[in-house]
Amino acid sequence: MRSIRLLACTLWLLSPIALAAQQRHTITHEDVFLMKRLSSPAISPDGRWVVFSVTEPSYTEGEQVSDLWIVLLDGSAEPRRLTNSKGGESGVDWSPDSRRIAFSARREGDDAAQLYVLDLTGGGEAQRVTNISTGASSPLWRPDGRAILFSSMVYPGATTDSANRAAAAERKARKYNARVYDASPIRLWDHWLDDRRPHLFVQPLEPNAQARDILAGSQLVQGAGFGGQLGNSGEDLAAAWTPDGKLVVFAATTNRGDWTHGDVVQALWVVNATAGEPLRLTQGRDDYDAPQFSTDGKTLYAVTTPTTEKTFNNHRLLAWPWPMSGTSAPRVIAGGTEHSVGGYNPAPDKRSVYFLAEDAGHTRLFRTPAPEGREQEVGRVTSGTFSGLQVAPATTGSSVKMAAVWESATNPPEIVRIDPATGRWTALTKFNSDRAAKIDWQPLREFWFTSVRGNRIHSFYSLPPGFDSTRSYPLFVLIHGGAANMWTDNFGLRWNPHLLGAAGYVILMTDYTGSTGYGEKFSQDIQFDPLEGPANDINEAADSAIKRFRFIDASRQVAGGASYGGHLTNWLAVTTTRYRALVSHAGEWDLETQWATSDYNYDRERNVGGPPWEDHPLWKTQSPMRRAANLHTPVLVSVGERDFRVPMNNALEFWTALQRQQIPSRLIIWPEENHWVLKGEDSRFFYREVAAWLARWLGAPAATGQ
């Protein structure tokens, strides 16, 4: 009998599953950084094809490759590469006949990015269709397929391309170098802003046709407060063609100068596609974005964010009958107190809309209206998360064709087809599956607990490689940024829990008060309690995990985070000694100096009740700097020199306090990084430094037997 058991054990060890398990390795930085990165898919109008970009990262600057790929939505063929050029492509949009794609790219001979059109049925190389000095981005085909709308950043007063060229040449010839401003904002994330503003252009596709600026000379763009939606990748006017191709609806602000003392909000506007004065469609103080039309052209949709006294409000999806009349009133068809609407797509049935929304650690797929009510999840996501949802506007019979990106913490992103009835997805690509299969990791696990304040708090946790529940492991409490954010079951490059836990840590990731995905009120409850309440949630989550899981060593706890996670880390440094070491990247130290030097100001004062010179006690009672006498825990402090969201002065102030109090500390400044550490070798060094810092204060990081 014993020999039979030994034979069975031997056969199991030789089985493919067992051999695969034995061959898996502990995750490395290369595993994380070199995973291929996929963009959101662009689905053809007929629902047959999906185009997407694949970026192949490299540690060597200039050797990263990014190209467009295409795959059949039915999965009947392997993906194939469409482009093979030095520069990447962005903003892919399909022609209405599903035969061509337009995209923005800067190719050899281009001084700025231009629009290119690639014929997928006739073959051949992509053809450049614009030649504009200020560059072209965000292409959108006109419904008849004979012209393309795009965006470009234009110099003040320039109404022609020659005027833009002259303005650029004049500035290049200046003998002085200075930035001059009369109003905020002046910078964003990692770049200084200038006086250029986004305009919309129409490029006819007839030979030798010139692009036409349809906003040139209008009173709207001449206003001092005009602008688009500012983001870390540029400035966007979020445009959409009307169904007849005669008008363009877009989102723009007229109160950009209110940046430091009020809410900068966008309204919806409509302009004739041959130029003219835009007409404002929405009124009031609410913010509007992302206009789209139903497939039959009878409904205009847009996302709105209410403007209230609250620091945070969920996104709602609105619908108007089109054309709009003076008495047209929108209906809220999704989002609100329960969910915040993310990306959305009108369904081809002309009545319903599919959208994504954050919900308890996952980004789920919803449909509205649903038979059971206003909105309902399609299927049920139990692991992973969706992004980049796309729905084909055309139908075959009654079918709905949709694609998205799906990923989880142990499944790097891939393009998937989604069943609109069940929500089940089918992978169309496998760019990362082979590398992922060789890593010794486990899916994230989750639990809930009720805090002392009566809130239900959600946490993910990850287990180290070679996990053995009979052994004891240190706990690394990882804190997300935001605070209007949440931990998501996805594959991340920055603060990857499996890479951080590779040395033998259990990683705990808690969605503290102020996080998104748990209802609007939960996100709003951080107002007037910016640090203390969320930090208490984090400490209580650690207590709950220690109580639940015998494999956590309560005597060996560390914590860290970035951005708002860095803010909370700095608060922990002055309010508790439970952690043996801390890691703070881009962390706020002094509420007042962060308010004054950050690129984003008004919400910070609203979060504590008013500006610093008014008598609001939170400026002092919840500012870590005011409690510097309590510093005892060793801290690794890290900051990007190009970070304008949490400027370097906060890290230097924290470092000075640590040194003044003679607390063991280490400072890393990244001269070429912004709010995030993005360069390959910088990222590798960062993870190495974090591992060494924690090992220094915990002793040997590997798991030890009880």
Side-chain angles (χ1 to χ4, degrees):
M1 180 65 71
R2 180 173 179 271
S3 61
I4 293 175
R5 285 198 298 268
L6 286 174
L7 177 61
C9 182
T10 302
L11 290 173
W12 182 88
L13 289 172
L14 293 176
S15 71
I17 296 176
L19 287 173
Q22 290 177 342
Q23 293 168 358
R24 290 188 298 174
H25 62 264
T26 298
I27 192 170
T28 65
H29 189 269
E30 288 77 10
D31 288 325
V32 173
F33 191 80
L34 295 180
M35 287 287 185
K36 294 180 174 61
R37 304 167 195 176
L38 279 64
S39 73
S40 299
I43 191 169
S44 61
D46 61 10
R48 294 190 62 224
W49 298 95
V50 178
V51 170
F52 54 96
S53 72
V54 178
T55 299
E56 301 176 45
S58 173
Y59 285 102
T60 303
E61 191 170 356
E63 293 188 4
Q64 177 172 288
V65 175
S66 180
D67 286 305
L68 295 180
W69 289 68
I70 190 169
V71 66
L72 281 164
L73 188 66
D74 64 11
S76 60
E78 293 295 313
R80 60 183 175 89
R81 192 190 301 262
L82 284 178
T83 61
N84 190 0
S85 58
K86 290 184 179 179
E89 299 82 16
S90 64
V92 175
D93 191 53
W94 282 89
S95 63
D97 61 5
S98 299
R99 298 170 61 89
R100 296 165 293 171
I101 58 171
F103 55 85
S104 177
R106 184 175 180 178
R107 297 197 163 176
E108 189 173 351
D110 293 338
D111 294 327
Q114 302 294 337
L115 296 191
Y116 286 80
V117 170
L118 180 60
D119 189 333
L120 298 178
T121 59
E125 295 294 323
Q127 301 299 309
R128 188 176 69 181
V129 296
T130 63
N131 184 23
I132 181 170
S133 63
T134 50
S137 63
S138 306
L140 283 174
W141 289 84
R142 196 165 68 189
D144 65 3
R146 299 173 61 185
I148 298 176
L149 181 75
F150 68 90
S151 178
S152 188
M153 297 295 290
V154 170
Y155 287 96
T159 58
T160 64
D161 194 45
S162 59
N164 277 300
R165 290 181 189 274
E170 184 274 328
R171 296 186 184 199
K172 187 176 181 180
R174 287 175 180 171
K175 295 183 178 180
Y176 63 89
N177 184 14
R179 298 185 181 99
V180 181
Y181 299 94
D182 294 307
S184 293
I186 62 174
R187 59 184 188 173
L188 192 75
W189 291 110
D190 62 353
H191 61 279
W192 292 89
L193 302 175
D194 58 28
D195 54 359
R196 292 177 299 163
R197 294 292 184 268
H199 283 214
L200 295 172
F201 291 73
V202 172
Q203 174 66 64
L205 296 183
E206 290 84 7
N208 303 316
Q210 299 297 309
R212 181 174 58 254
D213 184 347
I214 63 174
L215 298 182
S218 66
Q219 293 181 10
L220 174 65
V221 300
Q222 294 177 53
F226 170 74
Q229 178 68 53
L230 287 168
N232 57 8
S233 59
E235 193 165 354
D236 182 29
L237 288 174
W241 287 99
T242 57
D244 59 8
K246 296 180 179 180
L247 305 171
V248 175
V249 175
F250 63 98
T253 184
T254 58
N255 73 323
R256 181 168 170 162
D258 293 351
W259 188 266
T260 56
H261 56 269
D263 292 290
V264 176
V265 297
Q266 297 183 117
L268 293 185
W269 303 77
V270 63
V271 64
N272 194 297
T274 60
E277 187 62 42
L279 172 68
R280 184 165 180 162
L281 295 176
T282 59
Q283 306 298 324
R285 298 174 58 245
D286 292 342
D287 187 70
Y288 296 87
D289 197 10
Q292 291 190 61
F293 285 91
S294 60
T295 55
D296 64 359
K298 295 181 179 180
T299 303
L300 171 63
Y301 300 104
V303 173
T304 187
T305 307
T307 298
T308 69
E309 75 283 358
K310 300 293 185 180
T311 301
F312 177 87
N313 291 287
N314 278 346
H315 303 318
R316 278 81 165 160
L317 183 62
L318 299 182
W320 292 263
W322 186 264
M324 291 172 63
S325 66
T327 59
S328 296
R331 295 178 295 113
V332 177
I333 63 171
T337 58
E338 190 170 343
H339 294 119
S340 185
V341 173
Y344 76 94
N345 285 99
D349 65 7
K350 308 168 187 175
R351 295 180 295 104
S352 56
V353 178
Y354 291 92
F355 67 94
L356 299 178
E358 294 180 331
D359 186 271
H362 306 275
T363 301
R364 307 180 190 275
L365 174 64
F366 292 84
R367 180 178 179 270
T368 183
E372 293 78 7
R374 195 178 71 186
E375 61 190 53
Q376 185 181 41
E377 183 176 0
V378 180
R380 181 65 180 172
V381 170
T382 57
S383 66
T385 194
F386 290 115
S387 63
L389 177 68
Q390 288 279 292
V391 177
T395 63
T396 302
S398 60
S399 64
V400 176
K401 308 289 183 66
M402 64 174 64
V405 175
W406 183 86
E407 62 185 298
S408 76
T410 54
N411 295 272
E414 300 288 356
I415 304 297
V416 301
R417 178 180 71 248
I418 304 175
D419 185 319
T422 66
R424 297 191 183 96
W425 55 266
T426 302
L428 299 175
T429 66
K430 297 180 180 180
F431 287 98
N432 294 309
S433 56
D434 286 346
R435 183 186 282 271
K438 297 174 183 177
I439 300 172
D440 181 10
W441 54 3
Q442 295 187 38
L444 295 182
R445 305 185 185 189
E446 51 192 309
F447 68 89
W448 296 76
F449 75 95
T450 301
S451 71
V452 296
R453 296 192 292 181
N455 293 326
R456 292 192 72 230
I457 305 293
H458 177 264
S459 294
F460 283 117
Y461 64 99
S462 69
L463 300 173
F467 174 72
D468 181 349
S469 63
T470 66
R471 308 186 74 178
S472 180
Y473 298 86
L475 180 66
F476 186 166
V477 176
L478 195 57
I479 310 170
H480 74 67
N485 196 359
M486 73 174 186
W487 284 118
T488 305
D489 184 8
N490 67 346
F491 180 83
L493 170 61
R494 302 184 297 271
W495 298 86
N496 183 285
H498 289 98
L499 185 55
L500 289 168
Y505 303 121
V506 173
I507 306 293
L508 178 65
M509 298 169 285
T510 297
D511 285 334
Y512 49 82
T513 301
S515 302
T516 53
Y518 303 90
E520 190 173 51
K521 184 179 183 302
F522 189 81
S523 303
Q524 294 172 342
D525 281 348
I526 198 172
Q527 193 169 15
F528 310 129
D529 185 18
L531 297 175
E532 185 174 18
N536 289 341
D537 290 344
I538 290 165
N539 292 332
E540 288 182 50
D543 290 337
S544 180
I546 291 166
K547 184 177 179 180
R548 291 166 183 263
F549 309 122
R550 294 174 55 86
F551 50 79
I552 294 177
D553 183 350
S555 68
R556 303 171 73 205
Q557 299 180 61
V558 295
S563 192
Y564 215 95
H567 304 359
L568 290 172
T569 299
N570 296 353
W571 180 258
L572 295 176
V574 297
T575 57
T576 181
T577 57
R578 69 181 292 159
Y579 302 105
R580 290 199 186 184
L582 298 169
V583 179
S584 172
H585 177 76
E588 171 187 79
W589 173 245
D590 184 346
L591 262 64
E592 294 184 42
T593 59
Q594 167 70 354
W595 167 84
T597 59
S598 173
D599 62 351
Y600 192 64
N601 319 95
Y602 182 61
D603 264 356
R604 300 186 189 282
E605 67 179 72
R606 180 162 54 186
N607 207 31
V608 299
W613 53 83
E614 295 180 356
D615 188 19
H616 301 286
L618 288 177
W619 286 112
K620 295 180 176 62
T621 60
Q622 291 206 26
S623 182
M625 187 275 291
R626 299 285 180 169
R627 304 189 182 206
N630 298 333
L631 288 170
H632 292 92
T633 306
V635 187
L636 173 64
V637 182
S638 169
V639 66
E641 199 166 327
R642 298 180 180 178
D643 186 354
F644 299 154
R645 182 55 49 100
V646 186
M648 185 172 60
N649 62 284
N650 261 271
L652 297 180
E653 291 171 16
F654 187 24
W655 164 255
T656 299
L658 289 163
Q659 292 288 294
R660 173 64 177 81
Q661 295 294 82
Q662 301 181 62
I663 306 301
S665 47
R666 187 173 178 86
L667 174 65
I668 304 175
I669 296 176
W670 309 93
E672 297 181 343
E673 299 290 358
N674 54 24
H675 195 58
W676 305 276
V677 180
L678 300 176
K679 294 179 181 292
E681 293 298 350
D682 286 352
S683 175
R684 175 152 45 195
F685 180 73
F686 175 74
Y687 277 100
R688 187 185 304 149
E689 284 287 300
V690 171
W693 183 254
L694 299 183
R696 174 180 173 184
W697 301 104
L698 284 175
T704 56
Q706 288 183 320

